[in-house]
């Protein structure tokens, strides 16, 4: 890439920032002028003694209020990063000719001139997303037949109004220490952007959206979009951008308070909440499945006591496809007049029905005991019962609309759907409006709840085929380096796919005993924090109690945090466990003692280890004091 482009683009940024300041000052002035007029009329009305004059002034105030500039001049929030991508075109229409179009998270107009186009305006942004550099374009753009050539596409790195990187089809330039140059060979671009900004949330992909991803984001509004792909391919990010696109382009059909994002656990929920502020409004709920289901039950006037001990040992049965069939048969029986908890108790106590679907055995007796407790007035339920009770009430209600429960949501996005049971998936489907607009993200290799019946999702997918199911597979990995993904593919037993970033090989550190491993870990963490205090590294243990023990050994080091539920994004070292990190990413990962026992040759062992490895964006180190899992050594059968 020629260095001459730097001066041109730095000047462009200065000019755009001047337009931003001019727009904001003009908006502030118009609002102040409008408010002053309203204030003057209100003072005049207060001082007037004539009823007819008071009425006239009231009408003036009412009419003037309809043209409040605070309403029609939107706030431009992207002051520090006004745009993220640009496309230089040479249109065949001489009235257009050469033009440089900038794309950002918000549109900006200076007078009548468009300075930045919102990336969600597909009729404009598709020039950037659907064609490559040097390609000829020919399409209906903004209602007109247009043709020409894409001369250059640029992805901009801007931090606090400072241009720090430029990426085109011919190369990448970065600014370090005030000087521009080519990036260090093997550097992870997304990682360097995060560390430069000291912000380890999801990477902003507006400038990085591929033609394939753009097609999925702008897909039809009705029916279900089923997104598949390996770790780091952007399923979650594409689904969130799709929802943002729908909200922007059709606000009458997609209302924020009637859309829902469902994440796998609290860590991922908090991660997305913090990440999606530029894409999704505060009015749009982001929940785990269980938090949503419990809120829905409260709306129905049902407020049970949830306990981890209630119904223990029945998780597998309750998450099975056979159990869903039993629930559906039971819901067809005329027991709608029963109170909700008693209705659920009667279902659990229906021995013959459960035996027809689940067979005979000890679990039937446990269901009968739980049913008897509920019928005698107990309110204690297991967390798994939330979805069962909710779907039972949905089936009882019929198809009428009930706020937040039935036929209500304009769009529901479901992440990590492979770890939801068929009952849970059906309850979400029933909660959508008649259009059944959904985005569902799935990766079978990241299924980490072994008690969830995998056939349930397959059955759900078959049902959706008749309701407008469209599918898309994302095949390019953007998060982890090729070297990390090679190891992950070996563990998962899948072919290596296309990977964007290159990096160093994963490093294995073997120790003779645990105390030796802990001493080296302590030294390594101290050295890591001393050499780079802008990175976010995770020490991923297999179990929660193991993470707590590791943290105890490292807690004297400033910058080390224990994270077993919610997640923060400050740089440092995070000690956590494998079940907590699905969907998250870190600059580097230290995988702690992935032994044969921790990660056996089972589907669960493979999937958990695959998830742990693929959380690393740039660096992966493996510390172990016991024999490594066969999944890592190649001894897997």
């Amino acid at each position: 890439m020629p260095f001459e482009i730097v001066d041109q683009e730095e000047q462009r940024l200065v000019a755009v920032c001047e337009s931003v300041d001019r727009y904001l000052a003009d908006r502030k002035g118009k609002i102040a002028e409008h408010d002053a007029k309203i204030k003057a009329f209100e003072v005049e009305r207060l001082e007037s003694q004539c009823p007819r004059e008071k009425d006239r002034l009231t009408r003036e105030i009412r009419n003037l209020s309809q043209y409040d500039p605070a309403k029609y001049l939107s706030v431009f929030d992207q002051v520090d990063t006004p745009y993220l991508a640009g496309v230089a075109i040479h249109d065949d229409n001489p009235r257009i000719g050469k033009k440089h179009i900038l794309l950002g998270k918000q549109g900006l107009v200076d007078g009548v001139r468009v300075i930045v186009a919102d990336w969600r305006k597909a009729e404009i942004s598709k020039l950037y997303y659907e064609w490559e550099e040097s390609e000829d374009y020919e399409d209906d753009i903004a209602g007109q037949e247009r043709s020409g050539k894409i001369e250059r596409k640029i992805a901009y790195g801007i931090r606090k109004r400072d241009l720090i990187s430029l990426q085109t089809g011919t190369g990448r330039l970065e600014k370090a220490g005030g000087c521009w140059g080519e990036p260090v060979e093997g550097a992870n671009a997304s990682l360097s952007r995060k560390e430069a900004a000291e912000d380890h949330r999801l990477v902003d992909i507006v400038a990085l959206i591929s033609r394939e991803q753009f097609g999925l984001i702008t897909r039809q509004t009705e029916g279900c979009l089923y997104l598949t792909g390996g770790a780091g391919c952007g399923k979650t990010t594409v689904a969130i951008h799709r929802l943002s696109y729908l909200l922007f382009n059709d606000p009458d059909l997609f209302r924020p308070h009637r859309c829902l994002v469902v994440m796998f656990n609290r860590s991922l929920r908090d991660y997305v909440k913090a990440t999606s502020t530029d894409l999704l409004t505060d009015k749009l709920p982001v929940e785990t499945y269980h938090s949503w289901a419990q809120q829905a039950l409260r709306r129905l006037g049902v407020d049970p006591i949830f306990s981890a001990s209630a119904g223990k040992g029945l998780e597998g049965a309750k998450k099975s496809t056979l159990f869903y069939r039993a629930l559906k048969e039971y819901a067809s029986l005329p027991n709608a007049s029963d109170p909700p908890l008693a209705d659920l108790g009667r279902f659990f106590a229906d021995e013959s029905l459960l035996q027809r679907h689940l067979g005979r055995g000890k679990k039937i007796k446990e269901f009968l005991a739980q049913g008897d407790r509920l019928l005698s007035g107990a309110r204690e339920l297991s967390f798994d019962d939330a979805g069962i009770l909710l779907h039972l009430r949905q089936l009882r209600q019929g198809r009428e609309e009930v706020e937040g429960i039935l036929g209500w949501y304009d769009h529901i996005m479901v992440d990590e759907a492979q770890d939801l049971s068929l009952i849970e998936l059906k309850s979400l489907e029933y909660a959508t409006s008649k259009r059944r607009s959904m985005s569902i993200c799935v990766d079978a290799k990241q299924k980490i709840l072994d008690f969830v019946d995998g056939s349930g999702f397959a059955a759900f997918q078959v049902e959706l085929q008749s309701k407008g199911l469209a599918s898309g597979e994302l095949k390019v990995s953007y998060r982890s380096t090729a070297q990390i993904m090679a190891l992950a593919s070996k563990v998962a037993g899948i072919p290596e796919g296309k990977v964007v970033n290159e990096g160093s090989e994963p490093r294995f550190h073997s120790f003779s005993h645990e105390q030796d491993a802990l001493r080296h870990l302590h030294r390594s963490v101290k050295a890591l924090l001393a050499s780079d205090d802008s990175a976010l590294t995770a020490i991923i243990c297999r179990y929660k109690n193991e993470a707590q023990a590791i943290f105890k050994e490292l807690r004297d080091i400033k910058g080390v945090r224990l994270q077993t539920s919610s997640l923060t994004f400050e740089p440092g070292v995070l000690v956590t466990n494998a079940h907590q990190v699905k969907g998250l990413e870190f600059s580097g990962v230290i995988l702690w003692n992935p032994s044969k026992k921790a990660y056996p040759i089972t589907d669960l062992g493979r999937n958990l280890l695959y998830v742990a490895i693929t959380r690393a964006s740039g660096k992966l180190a493996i510390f172990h004091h016991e024999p490594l899992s066969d999944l890592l050594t190649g001894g897997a059968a």
Side-chain angles (χ1 to χ4, degrees):
M1 185 194 306
F3 278 85
E4 296 78 42
I5 192 177
V6 172
D7 288 339
Q8 180 183 346
E9 294 303 332
E10 286 183 330
Q11 291 172 24
R12 191 189 310 279
L13 178 57
V14 169
V16 171
C17 289
E18 288 174 351
S19 293
V20 170
D21 293 340
R22 192 160 48 246
Y23 171 82
L24 293 175
D26 183 57
R27 180 180 185 273
K28 184 178 180 180
K30 287 180 177 177
I31 291 172
E33 182 182 354
H34 173 270
D35 291 347
K37 287 181 180 179
I38 292 284
K39 182 73 172 176
F41 280 132
E42 288 175 341
V43 170
E44 189 177 349
R45 182 177 60 179
L46 186 64
E47 294 175 348
S48 175
Q49 301 299 316
C50 175
R52 186 174 297 176
E53 181 66 8
K54 283 183 177 289
D55 290 343
R56 183 189 70 79
L57 290 167
T58 298
R59 288 194 300 272
E60 290 283 359
I61 292 170
R62 188 181 298 119
N63 291 337
L64 191 59
S65 297
Q66 294 177 12
Y67 302 99
D68 184 353
K71 297 177 181 177
Y72 67 83
L73 292 176
S74 59
V75 178
F76 189 77
D77 293 318
Q78 308 303 315
V79 175
D80 290 337
T81 311
Y83 55 93
L84 296 161
V87 56
I89 65 171
H90 191 168
D91 200 272
D92 291 337
N93 185 337
R95 294 176 59 188
I96 299 172
K98 288 181 176 289
K99 191 174 181 66
H100 194 98
I101 301 169
L102 297 174
L103 303 175
K105 293 180 182 178
Q106 280 184 280
L108 175 67
V109 178
D110 189 354
V112 295
R113 190 163 62 99
V114 176
I115 305 299
V116 180
D118 194 301
W119 74 270
R120 292 166 293 189
K121 291 183 72 68
E123 67 271 22
I124 302 298
S125 62
K126 64 182 177 181
L127 283 167
Y128 178 85
Y129 295 122
E130 292 190 349
W131 282 278
E132 298 302 327
E133 287 187 359
S134 302
E135 277 191 338
D136 293 326
Y137 62 86
E138 186 173 353
D139 206 341
D140 185 328
I141 298 173
Q144 295 182 0
E145 287 294 327
R146 297 267 292 274
S147 62
K149 186 174 184 177
I150 304 295
E151 294 192 329
R152 178 176 284 159
K153 291 170 57 175
I154 305 178
Y156 297 98
I158 300 173
R159 184 182 75 241
K160 296 180 180 178
R161 297 193 170 198
D162 185 25
L163 189 63
I164 59 173
S165 70
L166 294 167
Q167 174 81 50
T168 73
T170 58
R172 180 179 175 86
L173 294 174
E174 294 179 353
K175 185 165 68 172
C179 299
W180 284 88
E182 295 181 351
V184 178
E185 186 177 353
N188 183 322
S190 65
L191 180 59
S192 64
R193 283 199 307 277
K194 283 188 169 190
E195 295 189 353
E198 295 188 355
D199 184 348
H200 294 269
R201 298 177 292 177
L202 288 172
V203 175
D204 195 326
I205 70 162
V206 169
L208 308 175
I209 294 171
S210 67
R211 181 185 301 185
E212 172 193 33
Q213 291 172 329
F214 186 69
L216 294 171
I217 288 168
T218 57
R219 189 67 69 92
Q220 82 284 346
T221 59
E222 295 192 7
C224 177
L225 176 62
Y226 171 78
L227 286 169
T228 61
C233 68
K235 297 182 297 297
T236 304
T237 315
V238 166
I240 290 172
H241 280 72
R242 181 184 183 225
L243 179 50
S244 179
Y245 172 85
L246 297 175
L247 291 165
F248 178 83
N249 285 280
D250 210 335
D252 293 332
L253 281 182
F254 297 96
R255 296 156 289 184
H257 70 287
R258 294 185 71 158
C259 292
L260 174 68
V261 173
V262 179
M263 306 309 295
F264 174 68
N265 57 24
R266 287 181 292 171
S267 294
L268 196 50
R269 177 197 64 189
D270 295 345
Y271 195 36
V272 168
K273 273 186 176 181
T275 300
S276 60
T277 52
D278 293 330
L279 295 166
L280 310 175
T281 73
D282 292 338
K283 295 179 181 177
L284 196 151
V286 180
E287 302 289 349
T288 65
Y289 175 81
H290 291 290
S291 67
W292 169 73
Q294 290 174 41
Q295 289 174 34
L297 289 174
R298 283 196 290 271
R299 285 195 183 98
L300 288 170
V302 185
D303 194 15
I305 300 168
F306 289 98
S307 166
S309 60
K312 198 168 183 64
L314 295 175
E315 298 92 342
K318 290 178 178 179
K319 300 278 189 178
S320 71
T321 304
L322 296 176
F323 191 75
Y324 164 74
R325 293 172 184 164
L327 180 68
K328 197 168 181 181
E329 181 183 334
Y330 173 76
S332 66
L333 303 175
N335 286 334
S337 60
D338 282 351
L341 289 176
D343 195 10
L344 181 65
R346 206 172 297 282
F347 168 52
F348 287 158
D350 193 330
E351 185 174 5
S352 61
L353 183 146
L354 292 179
Q355 285 181 347
R356 280 200 305 276
H357 290 278
L358 303 180
R360 298 176 182 273
K362 180 182 177 182
K363 292 191 185 305
I364 299 296
K365 293 181 180 178
E366 294 174 5
F367 273 117
L368 296 179
Q370 188 175 354
D372 288 342
R373 286 195 296 274
L374 290 173
L375 288 171
S376 65
R379 294 173 53 219
E380 192 174 54
L381 295 179
S382 74
F383 288 100
D384 298 323
D385 293 332
I388 299 168
L389 179 55
L390 175 59
H391 195 45
L392 176 57
R393 301 319 298 170
Q394 288 175 325
L395 291 168
R396 294 283 193 218
Q397 291 280 149
R399 304 303 286 177
E400 63 183 270
E401 184 181 291
V402 181
E403 179 179 350
I405 298 163
L406 194 62
W408 174 257
Y409 291 102
D410 298 331
H411 186 85
I412 295 181
M413 176 200 148
V414 186
D415 198 37
E416 307 290 358
Q418 71 275 354
D419 277 315
L420 290 177
S421 70
L422 182 54
I423 286 177
E424 292 164 341
L425 291 165
K426 291 297 291 184
S427 68
L428 288 166
E429 182 200 345
Y430 270 56
T432 61
S433 66
K434 293 178 181 178
R435 289 195 308 276
R436 291 290 181 265
S437 182
M438 302 179 77
S439 298
I440 297 180
C441 304
V442 182
D443 181 7
K445 291 299 179 183
Q446 295 190 66
K447 183 178 182 297
I448 62 172
L449 300 181
D450 57 341
F451 51 83
V452 175
D453 182 0
S455 68
F457 185 83
F460 181 65
Q461 187 180 358
V462 169
E463 281 191 42
L464 288 176
Q465 295 283 357
S466 62
K467 300 173 183 177
L469 177 69
S471 61
E473 182 179 4
L474 297 168
K475 299 178 180 179
V476 180
S477 177
Y478 295 93
R479 180 196 299 141
S480 303
T481 63
Q483 291 76 9
I484 292 171
M485 288 307 298
L487 179 61
S489 298
K490 172 184 172 182
V491 165
I494 56 176
E496 293 182 34
K498 183 178 179 181
V499 183
V500 170
N501 297 310
E502 292 287 332
S504 57
E505 291 290 338
R507 300 180 66 179
F508 288 77
H509 303 274
S510 179
F511 304 95
S512 57
H513 51 80
E514 184 178 12
Q515 285 306 311
D516 191 24
L518 287 170
R519 281 195 296 271
H520 279 82
L521 178 66
H522 194 281
R523 285 199 295 269
S524 297
V525 169
K526 284 189 74 172
L528 176 66
L529 290 170
S531 65
D532 186 359
D533 60 2
S534 64
L536 177 60
T537 300
I539 300 174
I540 301 179
C541 305
R542 172 63 179 86
Y543 305 103
K544 186 179 289 189
N545 60 354
E546 190 177 38
Q548 292 166 341
I550 295 297
F551 173 71
K552 187 176 179 181
E553 297 289 333
L554 303 175
R555 63 184 174 185
D556 62 307
I557 305 175
K558 185 179 179 181
V560 177
R561 306 188 301 275
L562 176 66
Q563 208 81 43
T564 53
S565 55
S566 59
L567 180 75
T568 57
F569 308 106
E570 294 83 9
V573 173
L574 208 65
V575 185
T576 187
N577 61 296
H579 274 92
Q580 291 295 329
V581 296
K582 187 161 70 163
L584 308 179
E585 64 177 75
F586 307 92
S587 306
V589 163
I590 297 173
L591 188 56
W592 176 257
N593 200 36
S595 64
K596 295 175 183 286
K597 181 181 178 182
Y599 300 98
I601 308 174
T602 62
D603 287 343
L604 178 63
R606 284 184 187 278
N607 294 353
L608 273 172
L609 189 52
Y610 176 79
V611 166
I613 289 171
T614 55
R615 299 313 94 194
S617 294
K619 295 180 180 179
L620 173 66
I622 296 167
F623 283 55
H624 68 102
H625 56 88
E626 293 180 309
L628 282 172
S629 167
D630 290 332
L631 297 168
L632 288 167
T633 61

